[in-house]
Amino acid sequence: KVVEINSVSLAGRDAGNYAIGAVPSATASILASPLGAKAIAADKVYDGTTVATVSIVLSGIIGEDEVIASASGTFADKNIGSDKMVSITDFMITGSDATNYSEGAISNTTASITAAFLVATAKATDKIYDGTSKAEISVSLAGIVDGDVVNGTASGTFSDRNVGVGKSVSVGPVVLSGTDAANYQVEESGVTMADITPASLAVTAIANAKFFGGEDPPLNFEASGFVGDDTLTSSVSGNLARQPGEEIGVYEILIGN
């Protein structure tokens, strides 16, 4: 760069014996001032990518010079973890005074990826009475990153084992499984409802007979289809009946009460 010489003066004991002739211009260089740079990567919630958000802190900027730094950051992998390595690339400086500075070296940094939250919706399946309070639960998950494999399961318990409509079903903790399950956490699913409908019993009347004019004999029956520890005594009450009439003949046995 050209350096203009503005004024030259002489000094010293013998300065008066000399006169200054023409002073030519000179040249010199202005070198870029080195900057210090530190990368800071932000922690993030799992999003299925390795992209890291990076900010750059510069030191060595003179006065009010305008120098802005930017860079790209990449996590070592997409999965959750603490203090994961973040590689810094594409470091550059811009701004009206950027050409007066040199970037220098910048080091990699670390940051954490925390688990993403899933919203679980549990649905209990209606069932036929089976003598237990166990409920079958299906779980749907919202918030899974496209392409990730995550499944949810949970256990369920009816308020009691008996037949009823819109019965309360308590849902146990949702358990996640699948290739990417470790990158998620799920909220508890709470309570849902479902129906228990009656089971069918096969009741067979036992044929009997009486003499004309005699008393009717006991009308007995057999039943099958009980579940669990249910029995004829615990589950069936009342008596059979028969078609009315006292003439000699065959009469149908009815269900009675």
Side-chain angles (χ1 to χ4, degrees):
K1 294 176 72 75
V2 174
V3 179
E4 298 291 339
I5 308 301
N6 295 321
S7 63
V8 179
S9 61
L10 300 176
R13 183 184 64 186
D14 299 306
N17 298 317
Y18 296 88
I20 298 173
V23 179
S25 61
T27 59
S29 298
I30 302 176
L31 303 178
S33 179
L35 293 175
K38 179 181 179 181
I40 300 174
D43 296 340
K44 74 170 185 176
V45 176
Y46 174 79
D47 62 3
T49 74
T50 59
V51 175
T53 300
V54 175
S55 59
I56 306 297
V57 178
L58 296 175
S59 59
I61 297 174
I62 298 170
E64 297 182 357
D65 280 1
E66 183 187 69
V67 184
I68 302 167
S70 62
S72 299
T74 306
F75 282 97
D77 58 57
K78 71 173 186 175
N79 299 315
I80 67 169
S82 299
D83 298 325
K84 296 173 67 74
M85 176 63 69
V86 177
S87 300
I88 304 300
T89 57
D90 302 325
F91 172 49
M92 62 183 297
I93 57 174
T94 58
S96 58
D97 299 298
T99 55
N100 295 320
Y101 295 87
S102 59
E103 294 96 334
I106 189 168
S107 299
N108 294 331
T109 185
T110 60
S112 299
I113 301 177
T114 56
F117 266 100
L118 295 179
V119 177
T121 302
K123 182 179 180 180
T125 303
D126 296 340
K127 73 171 185 176
I128 297 171
Y129 173 77
D130 62 3
T132 75
S133 58
K134 181 180 179 180
E136 294 295 327
I137 302 294
S138 60
V139 177
S140 60
L141 300 172
I144 299 173
V145 174
D146 287 346
D148 279 3
V149 178
V150 185
N151 303 304
T153 58
S155 59
T157 307
F158 281 96
S159 54
D160 58 55
R161 69 176 192 164
N162 300 316
V163 168
V165 176
K167 295 176 69 72
S168 176
V169 178
S170 298
V171 179
V174 174
V175 178
L176 300 178
S177 61
T179 307
D180 301 291
N183 294 314
Y184 296 89
Q185 53 187 323
V186 64
E187 298 176 353
E188 296 300 322
S189 47
V191 175
T192 184
M193 292 187 298
D195 301 341
I196 300 178
T197 56
S200 295
L201 286 181
V203 177
T204 303
I206 300 173
N208 211 331
K210 74 169 184 174
F211 290 106
F212 178 78
E215 294 291 328
D216 282 1
L219 299 178
N220 297 317
F221 61 91
E222 297 173 338
S224 61
F226 296 105
V227 296
D229 58 359
D230 290 350
T231 64
L232 180 66
T233 302
S234 66
S235 304
V236 180
S237 63
N239 299 288
L240 298 177
R242 70 172 180 84
Q243 286 180 308
E246 294 299 330
E247 299 297 326
I248 294 173
V250 178
Y251 295 87
E252 183 178 355
I253 298 176
L254 306 175
I255 197 164
N257 60 8

